[in-house]
Amino acid sequence: MHIRTATMDDLDAVTAVEAACFPAAEAATRDEFAARLAVYPNHFWLLEEDGRLVSFINGLVSDEPTIRDEMFADAAFHNERGAWQMVFGVNTLPEYRRRGLAGEVMRQVIADARSQGRKGCVLTCKDRLVHYYETFGYRSEGVSASTHGGAVWYDMRLTF
């Protein structure tokens, strides 16, 4: 297994993995990924096994303390010098789940954000995943203002 950052050549692969991991209302589109990859490819962490993308995390960097729904669709919210590494999606192909792969990628995201001098990492998740993210040191800040995809989300923060 190998973790690396993305290039525009990864556009189709990340789009396909996202579509396999999230309902259509929540999944980023190919166009959204193209815009993200054009602005912040170094904030896509891709885990490959035998040359196949099987898990990835992506998100922009911001001085804003929480994720706003507008951030998902507009890469212009990215500020490379921002304080917080936002985590938009934690994706692992269904047939590769329960092997700790997402955890490996998350640990790399956290290590990179720490080494880049960020204040920490921020994500939103559904209630069933709050405990999972707490195992990485994230703390729940309660129900999020986000209504992305029509779901109920919880704000989670890991402060260094």
Side-chain angles (χ1 to χ4, degrees):
M1 287 180 280
H2 173 68
I3 297 175
R4 64 175 177 84
T5 56
T7 70
M8 193 59 78
D9 291 339
D10 297 305
L11 176 59
D12 289 335
V14 297
T15 302
V17 171
E18 177 95 347
C21 294
F22 285 97
E26 297 171 17
T29 66
R30 187 178 195 281
D31 288 345
E32 288 169 335
F33 277 133
R36 293 177 191 181
L37 285 167
V39 176
Y40 53 90
N42 55 324
H43 295 278
F44 276 72
W45 292 264
L46 312 181
L47 186 145
E48 296 174 319
E49 185 173 276
D50 298 324
R52 180 181 184 200
L53 178 62
V54 298
S55 185
F56 78 94
I57 293 175
N58 79 105
L60 57 74
V61 177
S62 178
D63 280 328
E64 294 191 34
T66 57
I67 295 173
R68 293 191 292 130
D69 288 346
E70 297 83 2
M71 292 176 171
F72 293 114
D74 189 351
F77 281 97
H78 177 70
N79 170 7
E80 187 61 37
R81 293 187 216 140
W84 299 100
Q85 174 63 60
M86 303 298 180
V87 172
F88 287 168
V90 178
N91 298 265
T92 301
L93 287 172
E95 63 269 30
Y96 287 86
R97 291 181 183 160
R98 303 223 176 266
R99 293 176 41 188
L101 302 179
E104 287 187 40
V105 182
M106 181 61 74
R107 283 186 286 280
Q108 186 67 54
V109 170
I110 292 167
D112 287 354
R114 189 183 306 270
S115 72
Q116 294 164 359
R118 312 280 180 221
K119 287 183 181 178
C121 299
V122 175
L123 60 83
T124 59
C125 69
K126 295 179 179 167
D127 61 349
R128 71 180 187 277
L129 293 170
V130 168
H131 177 73
Y132 173 73
Y133 291 113
E134 287 176 339
T135 66
F136 296 98
Y138 285 86
R139 296 292 173 247
S140 176
E141 295 181 336
V143 175
S144 176
S146 174
T147 59
H148 180 70
V152 175
W153 301 94
Y154 287 78
D155 287 324
M156 303 291 291
R157 179 178 314 278
L158 170 61
T159 303
F160 301 142

